[in-house]
C-alpha cells in the first residue's frame, strides 16, 4: 500500500520514462496512461485485423448440431416453429387430456425436467443443453395439481395467441388470470415448461418479455418495415425489440460489437459517441440478459459476422452474465442453441486490470463471502475451465478477494472509460 | 489525607497532626474493622436478589416459597402452600409503626413539587388528551382510570407489602426459631447435596430487607408434627452483631393439629413492576412441582385489584428427598480437604480417604497412599497432616483418575412430573420429555431433563424458554443462559418440522446437580461455555424434538388427507374451462384419430360441455381421495380419539379406609 502510494507520487520518473511498456511495473500515475495511446488510426488498424479475422473464420466454422454429436436421443432441444404447427401440438395434448378425463382417469402431462440435475455442458457445442428426463404432472396429486391447472390454462391462452397470431408479453399473460397464477414467477416458470413440452422456442409461442435491452451505434435494421438507424438514437439508444422475428435487413459498417453489462457505462459510451471514434455497435441488457437481447446479439453476430467484446464488472456476477450470453442460462437451457453467442471476448474489467491500470484501493470493494463462494463455484464450471485465461483471471479474483465495478474507472475522470481505458485496451488487443 | 506538596506549611502540618490524633481515636483509616455477615449482606443486598423494591418483593416471596417446599418435601408430605401479598398504604403503615400522618406544609421542599407553570402545562396536556379520547367513547373509561392513577409520583412514595407464606411442612422446634431466622449464614441446608436455596440466606435476607425498608419485625408461627402447641415468635435481627432480637416468643394453642410454618414479613416493594415476574415464577414453579398445590393471593386496598390464583395439584408422585453425599476427590480444593480433616471422625489416613470421599474404595485408597510418597502411610493420624502433605493429597486428587460420581444423590423432577407439569399449566397440543443419564462436571454429577411442548394457552408464538436449576425456576438473565443459547442457535427446528417463528414452542430444561455452575452474582443463569452441560442440553432437546417429529408428521399427513379433496376440487373449474376453450375452437375432420373427431363433434353439438368435464374430474378426484384414504387407513390402522388422562386428587384425611380394588386401568378404594 505505502509502496504503491510512493510510486504514484513520483511523476518525475514517469515523465522521463516516456514511452514504456504497459505491463512494466515501473510505470507512472494512472492518468499518464493516456500518453501511451497511439493515434486512433493505429488502433483502428488493429480493429480492422480483428474484424477481418472474424469475417473469414466464421464463414468456415460450423457448429455441429446435437444430431451430429449423437446426442439427439439423450438431449432435448427446441426449435422455432410457426403458429399453425404450435397450434396443432397444443390441440393434440388438449385432446389427449380431454379423452383421458372422459374415460374417468383424470389427466396429466409429461413435462421435461428443467432442473439443474437434468442439464449438461457440452464442450463441443460450448453451451448448456437439457437432457431428456421428464416428469409426469398429474391433476390428481396434491403436489402437482396447481401446476397442472396452470399448464392447461396457459395452453389454452397460447392456443388463442397462435390462432389470432398476436404477440403478448409475459406480464400480459399473467394478468389474464391473476387469481390462478398468483404471481408472475409461477406463470413464467410454467411458460418455460410449456415451451419445453411443446418443443418450440418461447418466441414461437408468441409470448415475449418486455423490452429490456438497448442498442446504439453503427447499425441499421428494419423493424416491421420501419428503418431504424441506431446512430440517430440519442443517448438512450434503441430498445431491442421484444420480437426478433420482426427485425431484418441488418446493415453495419462497425468493426466490432461492444457488450456492456451496465446501463451507466452504456450511457457514457453513447453520450461520448464512442461508436463514431471506433465504429462499433454497443449493446446492453442492463444486468442479466433477457431472451430478446440474447437473440438480438446472436442475430447480429451471425448475420454481420462481427467480433464481440464484453465490458463487465470485475466480480463473479459480471462473469456470470458473460456466461449467460455465451453458454446460456440454466433456466432456458432447452433453447440454448438459439440463445447463445459463443466466442465473446472478455475485454474488461478483468481482475488483472485492477493493478495494471492502478485502480486505487478505495474504489475496489472487498468480496463478500457470497461473492467468494460464487467465484469458487464458477471455477468448477466447465465453460470457465476450458479457457486458461479465464481460470487465471478468476483465480486472481478469488485470491485477492477484491472486486471492482466499471464505474471504478470514474476515479480518473468520468470520461476515462471512453477516452483512455477502452482505446488502450483495444490498442493493446487486451482481450481474452 | 493531605498531599505531599502541602507539607511545607507549618499550619498544614499542625492540622495533620491533629487529624492523625483524631483518626487514631476514631479508628478511621487503616484500623481493622470487622463486619458481620448480616452487615455484609445488608450492604450488598443485590447479590441475593434485593436490587430494588420490586425485585426485593419478588425475591422475598420466592425465598419463602422455596423454604416451604423444602420443608414439606423433607417429611414427604405433598406441599400445600399459601402465599399472600397484601398491599399496605402509607397511612396504614404509619399507623402500624405509630407515626402520625403529616400533611406537607412546605410543598416546595419536595422533589415532586410542581410549580404553577408546570401544573398549567400538565393540565392543558391532560385536557387535550381527554378531548382526543372523548371522541372514542369506548376508551373513555379506561382513560379516566389512567388519569386517576397517574399524578406525579415522587421518590418518597414507597409502597409496602405484607408477605405471608404458610406451608404444611416439617415446622421448626420452638427453641430453634430465633437462631434460624436471626443469624445470617446459619442453616440446615449446608452440606453437599442438591438444594433449592442459593446462599442459605432465604428468609433471613427478607428479614434484613424488612429491617432496612420498614423496620418492622418478622412474625413466625410454627408447629412440628404432633405437637400440641404452636410456637409464635416475633423477632428482628441485630445486623451489627448478627444475632436475633426477640420481641415475643411464646407457645399458643394448636387447635387443628396443624404442622408447618407461617412466616409473615412486611417489606417495601413494588407490585406493579414485578407482578408479571411473580406470576411467571408461580407458573413455572407449578410446572416443575406438579405434586404441590399453591394458592396465591394478592390483597389490595382497592377491591378490584385483588387476585387469587390456585395452582392445583396434578399428581401425588413426589421426587425423593435428595441425599447428602460425600465429596468427589476431583472436586475438592485444599481448603476443603483441611476442613474435612478437621471435621472427620476417622482416625487414620486410610479410613479418612475411604469414608470422606466417594468412589475411593479400600484398595484404591491404599494405592493412592502409596502414590503419595514415603511421607505417607495408611495408619498415619489424619489430624497430624501438615499443610504440605495436604497440598500433596490435593495434587494427587487433581491428577489421578477416579470413577465419575453417580447421580444417585440427585433428585430430578422426573420426566413424569415434568410432563404432567407442562400439561397442567400450558395445556399444549403436544409434549415430549426426555431425561439424560447422570453426567459429571468438575466432580459434581448433574442430570438434565428436557421437555418440549407445542401449542397451548397463554403461550407466545416462537420459543418460550423455561429454565429450572435444582427444581426452581430461573427468570432473569435469560439471554446468556446455556438453554437459551442452545435452543436459539444450535437446534435446527425446521428439521423437526417445527416452525421457530410461528409455532408456540415451549422449551423446558431442568438441570439438577449438587453444585449448579451459575454465572454472575445473581445466580440467575448457567453459562454457555461449559461444553459438558451444553452438549447434554442440546441432545436432550433434540431427543424431545425427535419424539415430536413423528407426531407432527402424522398430524400433517392427517391434515393433508383431510384437505386433499378440497384442494384438488378447487382446481376443477379452472382446468375444465381451459380445456373447453380450446376444444370449442377445433373443427372436425382434420384429425388422425377417429375418437378425436368424434369428441370434437360432441363438443360442437353440446353433448360434451364444460359441465361434463367438471363432473368427470370431480368424480375422479373423489375416487383418488377415497383410494388414498383407504391406503392411509391400512397403513396407520383405524385412528382412535386421543385418550385424555385424568387425575382426581385424594380426599385429605380420608385415607384410613382399607381395600384397594385394582382394575386394568385404575384402582379405587372405598372410603367411609
Amino acid at each position: 500500500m505505502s509502496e504503491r502510494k510512493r510510486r504514484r507520487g513520483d511523476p518525475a520518473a514517469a515523465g522521463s520514462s516516456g514511452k514504456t511498456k504497459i505491463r512494466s511495473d515501473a510505470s507512472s500515475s494512472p492518468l499518464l496512461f493516456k500518453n501511451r495511446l497511439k493515434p486512433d488510426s493505429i488502433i483502428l488498424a488493429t480493429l480492422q485485423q480483428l474484424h477481418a479475422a472474424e469475417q473469414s473464420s466464421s464463414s468456415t466454422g460450423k457448429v455441429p448440431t446435437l444430431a451430429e454429436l449423437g446426442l439427439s436421443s439423450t438431449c432435448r432441444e427446441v426449435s422455432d416453429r410457426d403458429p399453425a404447427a404450435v397450434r396443432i401440438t397444443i390441440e393434440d395434448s388438449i385432446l389427449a387430456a380431454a379423452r383421458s378425463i372422459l374415460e374417468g382417469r383424470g389427466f396429466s402431462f409429461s413435462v421435461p425436467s428443467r432442473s439443474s440435475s437434468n442439464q449438461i455442458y457440452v464442450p463441443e457445442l460450448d453451451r448448456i443443453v437439457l437432457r431428456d428426463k421428464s416428469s409426469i404432472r398429474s391433476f390428481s396429486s396434491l403436489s402437482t395439481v396447481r401446476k397442472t391447472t396452470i399448464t392447461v390454462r396457459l395452453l389454452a391462452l397460447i392456443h388463442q395467441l397462435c390462432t389470432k397470431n398476436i404477440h403478448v408479453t409475459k406480464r400480459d399473460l399473467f394478468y389474464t388470470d391473476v387469481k390462478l397464477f398468483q404471481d408472475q414467477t409461477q406463470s413464467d416458470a410454467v411458460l418455460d415448461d410449456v415451451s419445453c413440452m411443446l418443443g418450440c422456442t418461447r418466441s414461437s409461442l408468441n409470448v415475449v418479455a418486455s423490452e429490456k435491452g438497448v442498442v446504439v451505434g453503427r447499425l441499421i435494421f428494419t423493424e416491421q418495415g420501419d428503418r431504424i438507424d441506431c446512430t440517430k438514437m440519442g443517448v438512450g439508444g434503441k430498445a431491442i425489440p421484444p420480437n426478433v422475428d420482426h427485425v431484418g435487413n441488418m446493415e453495419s459498417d462497425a468493426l466490432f460489437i461492444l457488450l456492456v453489462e451496465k446501463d451507466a457505462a452504456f450511457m457514457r459510451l453513447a453520450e461520448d459517441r464512442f461508436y463514431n471514434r471506433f465504429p462499433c455497435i454497443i449493446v446492453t441488457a442492463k444486468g442479466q440478459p433477457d431472451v430478446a437481447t440474447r437473440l438480438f446479439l446472436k442475430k447480429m453476430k451471425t448475420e454481420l459476422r462481427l467480433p464481440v467484446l464484453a465490458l463487465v464488472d470485475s466480480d463473479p456476477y459480471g462473469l456470470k452474465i458473460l456466461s449467460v450470453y455465451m453458454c446460456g442460462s440454466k433456466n432456458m437451457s432447452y433453447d440454448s442453441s438459439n440463445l447463445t453467442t459463443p466466442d465473446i471476448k472478455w475485454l474488461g474489467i478483468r481482475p488483472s486490470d485492477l493493478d495494471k491500470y492502478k485502480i486505487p484501493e478505495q474504489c475496489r470493494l472487498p468480496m463478500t463471502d457470497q461473492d467468494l463462494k460464487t467465484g469458487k463455484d464458477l471455477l468448477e464450471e466447465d465453460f470457465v475451465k476450458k479457457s486458461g485465461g479465464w481460470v487465471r483471471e478468476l483465480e486472481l479474483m478469488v485470491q485477492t478477494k477484491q472486486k471492482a465495478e466499471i464505474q471504478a474507472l470514474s476515479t480518473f475522470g468520468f470520461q476515462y472509460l471512453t477516452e483512455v481505458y477502452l482505446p488502450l485496451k483495444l490498442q493493446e488487443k487486451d482481450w481474452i | 489525607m493531605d498531599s505531599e506538596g502541602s507539607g511545607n506549611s507549618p499550619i498544614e502540618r499542625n492540622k495533620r497532626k491533629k487529624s492523625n490524633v483524631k483518626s487514631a481515636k476514631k479508628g478511621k483509616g487503616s484500623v481493622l474493622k470487622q463486619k458481620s455477615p448480616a452487615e455484609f449482606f445488608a450492604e450488598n443486598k443485590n447479590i441475593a436478589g434485593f436490587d430494588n423494591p420490586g425485585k426485593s418483593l419478588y425475591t422475598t416471596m420466592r425465598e419463602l416459597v422455596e423454604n416451604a417446599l423444602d420443608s414439606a418435601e423433607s417429611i414427604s408430605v405433598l406441599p400445600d402452600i399459601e402465599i399472600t401479598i397484601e398491599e399496605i398504604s402509607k397511612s396504614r403503615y404509619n399507623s402500624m409503626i405509630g407515626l402520625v400522618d403529616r400533611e406537607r406544609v412546605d410543598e416546595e421542599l419536595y422533589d415532586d413539587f410542581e410549580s404553577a407553570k408546570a401544573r398549567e402545562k400538565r393540565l392543558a396536556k391532560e385536557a387535550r388528551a381527554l378531548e382526543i379520547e372523548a371522541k372514542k367513547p369506548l376508551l373513555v373509561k379506561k382513560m379516566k382510570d389512567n388519569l386517576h392513577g397517574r399524578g406525579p409520583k415522587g421518590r418518597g412514595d414507597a409502597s409496602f407489602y405484607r408477605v405471608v407464606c404458610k406451608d404444611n411442612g416439617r415446622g421448626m422446634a420452638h427453641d430453634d426459631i430465633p437462631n434460624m431466622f436471626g443469624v445470617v449464614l446459619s442453616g440446615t441446608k449446608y452440606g453437599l447435596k442438591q438444594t433449592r436455596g442459593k446462599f442459605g440466606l432465604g428468609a433471613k435476607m427478607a428479614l434484613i430487607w424488612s429491617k432496612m425498608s420498614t423496620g418492622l419485625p418478622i412474625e413466625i408461627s410454627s408447629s412440628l408434627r404432633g405437637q400440641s402447641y404452636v410456637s409464635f415468635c416475633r423477632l428482628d435481627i441485630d445486623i451489627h452483631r448478627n444475632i436475633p432480637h426477640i420481641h415475643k416468643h411464646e407457645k399458643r394453642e394448636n387447635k387443628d393439629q396443624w404442622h408447618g410454618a407461617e412466616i409473615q414479613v412486611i417489606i417495601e416493594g413494588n407490585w406493579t413492576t414485578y407482578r408479571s415476574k411473580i406470576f411467571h415464577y408461580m407458573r413455572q414453579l407449578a410446572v416443575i412441582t406438579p405434586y404441590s398445590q399453591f394458592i396465591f393471593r394478592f390483597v389490595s386496598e382497592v377491591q378490584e385489584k385483588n387476585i387469587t390464583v390456585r395452582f392445583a395439584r396434578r399428581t401425588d408422585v413426589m421426587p425423593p428427598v435428595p441425599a447428602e453425599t460425600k465429596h468427589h476427590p476431583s472436586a475438592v480444593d485444599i481448603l476443603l480437604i483441611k476442613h474435612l480433616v478437621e471435621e472427620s471422625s476417622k482416625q487414620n489416613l486410610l479410613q479418612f480417604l475411604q469414608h470422606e470421599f466417594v468412589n475411593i474404595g479400600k484398595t484404591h485408597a491404599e494405592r493412592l497412599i502409596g502414590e503419595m510418597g514415603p511421607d505417607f502411610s495408611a495408619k498415619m493420624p489424619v489430624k497430624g497432616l501438615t499443610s504440605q502433605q495436604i497440598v500433596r493429597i490435593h495434587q494427587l486428587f487433581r491428577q489421578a483418575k477416579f470413577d465419575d460420581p453417580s447421580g444417585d444423590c440427585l433428585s430430578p423432577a422426573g420426566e413424569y412430573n415434568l410432563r404432567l407439569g407442562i400439561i397442567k399449566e400450558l395445556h399444549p397440543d403436544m409434549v415430549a420429555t426426555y431425561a439424560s443419564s447422570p453426567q459429571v462436571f468438575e466432580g459434581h454429577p448433574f442430570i438434565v431433563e428436557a421437555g418440549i411442548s407445542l401449542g397451548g394457552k397463554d403461550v407466545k408464538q416462537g420459543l418460550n424458554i423455561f429454565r429450572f436449576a435444582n427444581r426452581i425456576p430461573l427468570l432473569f438473565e435469560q439471554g446468556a443462559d446455556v438453554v437459551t443459547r442452545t435452543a436459539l442457535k444450535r437446534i435446527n427446528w425446521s428439521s423437526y418440522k417445527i416452525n421457530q417463528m410461528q409455532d408456540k414452542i415451549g422449551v423446558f430444561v431442568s438441570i439438577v446437580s449438587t453444585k449448579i455452575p451459575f454465572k454472575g452474582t445473581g445466580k440467575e443463569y448457567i453459562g454457555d461455555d461449559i461444553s459438558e452441560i451444553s452438549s447434554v442440553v442440546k441432545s436432550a432437546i433434540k431427543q424431545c424434538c425427535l419424539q415430536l417429529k413423528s407426531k407432527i408428521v402424522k398430524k400433517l399427513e392427517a391434515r393433508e388427507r383431510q384437505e386433499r379433496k378440497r384442494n384438488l376440487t378447487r382446481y376443477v373449474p379452472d382446468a375444465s374451462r381451459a380445456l373447453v376453450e380450446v376444444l370449442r375452437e377445433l373443427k372436425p375432420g382434420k384429425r388422425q384419430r377417429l375418437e378425436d373427431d368424434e369428441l370434437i363433434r360432441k363438443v360442437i353439438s353440446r353433448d360434451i360441455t364444460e359441465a361434463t368435464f367438471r363432473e368427470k374430474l370431480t368424480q375422479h378426484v373423489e375416487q383418488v381421495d377415497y383410494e388414498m384414504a383407504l391406503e392411509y387407513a391400512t397403513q396407520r390402522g383405524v385412528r382412535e380419539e386421543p385418550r385424555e388422562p385424568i387425575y382426581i386428587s385424594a380426599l385429605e384425611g380420608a385415607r384410613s379406609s382399607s381395600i384397594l380394588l385394582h382394575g386394568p386401568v385404575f384402582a379405587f378404594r372405598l372410603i367411609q
Side-chain angles (χ1 to χ4, degrees), chain B residues 136-182:
Chain B
K136 309 168 194 163
L138 270 177
L139 293 169
V140 171
K141 197 182 164 285
K142 203 176 160 194
M143 187 62 203
K144 272 183 186 158
D145 287 352
N146 280 351
L147 280 181
H148 187 73
R150 206 189 276 164
K153 197 177 175 183
R155 278 176 302 169
D157 277 0
S159 22
F160 301 97
Y161 299 88
R162 185 202 308 273
V163 182
V164 187
C165 178
K166 186 178 180 185
D167 65 55
N168 60 341
R170 180 192 289 271
M172 289 162 279
H174 183 79
D175 297 330
D176 289 347
I177 294 174
N179 279 334
M180 287 180 96
F181 284 89

Side-chain angles (χ1 to χ4, degrees), chain A residues 167-230:
Chain A
H167 291 80
V168 296
T169 62
K170 293 205 283 190
R171 189 97 185 129
D172 281 332
L173 211 56
F174 163 64
Y175 271 115
T176 52
D177 199 340
V178 182
K179 213 172 146 199
L180 175 64
F181 299 148
Q182 287 178 359
D183 72 80
Q184 206 190 324
T185 51
Q186 298 195 24
S187 63
D188 286 359
V190 175
L191 184 69
D192 284 333
D193 286 337
V194 166
S195 98
C196 214
M197 192 174 103
L198 301 177
C200 55
T201 59
R202 202 175 70 198
S203 337
S204 22
L205 300 180
N206 286 7
V207 180
V208 293
S210 53
E211 49 199 38
K212 188 172 164 220
V214 196
V215 60
V216 79
R218 310 282 269 250
L219 176 71
I220 296 168
F221 64 90
T222 56
E223 183 185 353
Q224 284 196 313
D226 296 346
R227 196 180 128 91
I228 287 157
D229 183 349
C230 293

